[in-house]
Amino acid sequence: MGSSSLTTGSPLSPAVDLIFSRWSPHILWALGADGPLRYGDLRSRLYPVGTATLAQRLRELESAGLLQRTLYMRHPPRVEYSLTELGRTVIPVLGAVADWSRAHLMAYEIGDASIPGGPL
């Protein structure tokens, strides 16, 4: 998360920097849809995310209180990630973005030039 955008004075900046940083919305969405997931399961659902990027985003989201990391001391040890109560409050926001995308951007994805700002 870049500190420069947090100083813009916009109330959106902290949320956008955290929730909408690369791969973060996809991580939150996957955990909201599928429940607790292991690292490898997350990585396969989010392919082609890199291992370093996924690990960094998981640490950021955990540090912000949106994710919980649970270590199971078995042989071999197992780690699961799940949404916290705070993390679950983000899912309706992501759902609204997904709804907006379906309603307004699907034609853009297939190359509809009639969309303002769309392909020429």
Side-chain angles (χ1 to χ4, degrees):
M1 294 186 309
S3 61
S4 62
S5 59
L6 293 176
T7 60
T8 63
S10 169
L12 292 174
S13 295
V16 168
D17 284 350
L18 176 64
I19 298 167
F20 294 103
S21 63
R22 184 79 171 135
W23 294 105
S24 292
H26 304 286
I27 293 167
L28 295 167
W29 190 258
L31 292 171
D34 299 329
L37 292 170
R38 294 171 69 177
Y39 180 89
D41 296 329
L42 266 172
R43 185 151 187 261
S44 65
R45 281 175 174 73
L46 302 176
Y47 180 82
V49 65
T51 56
T53 300
L54 180 56
Q56 179 183 355
R57 292 298 177 260
L58 289 169
R59 281 191 302 271
E60 289 172 356
L61 294 169
E62 181 185 8
S63 177
L66 298 176
L67 295 186
Q68 175 177 314
R69 180 182 186 270
T70 304
L71 174 63
Y72 295 95
M73 294 305 292
R74 297 185 178 152
H75 186 65
R78 186 179 94 185
V79 174
E80 278 187 347
Y81 294 91
S82 59
L83 295 176
T84 61
E85 278 296 316
L86 180 61
R88 284 190 281 282
T89 66
V90 174
I91 299 305
V93 173
L94 296 176
V97 172
D99 291 345
W100 185 86
S101 179
R102 281 193 284 286
H104 301 288
L105 295 181
M106 297 308 276
Y108 179 82
E109 290 178 6
I110 60 172
D112 185 346
S114 66
I115 296 176
L120 299 177

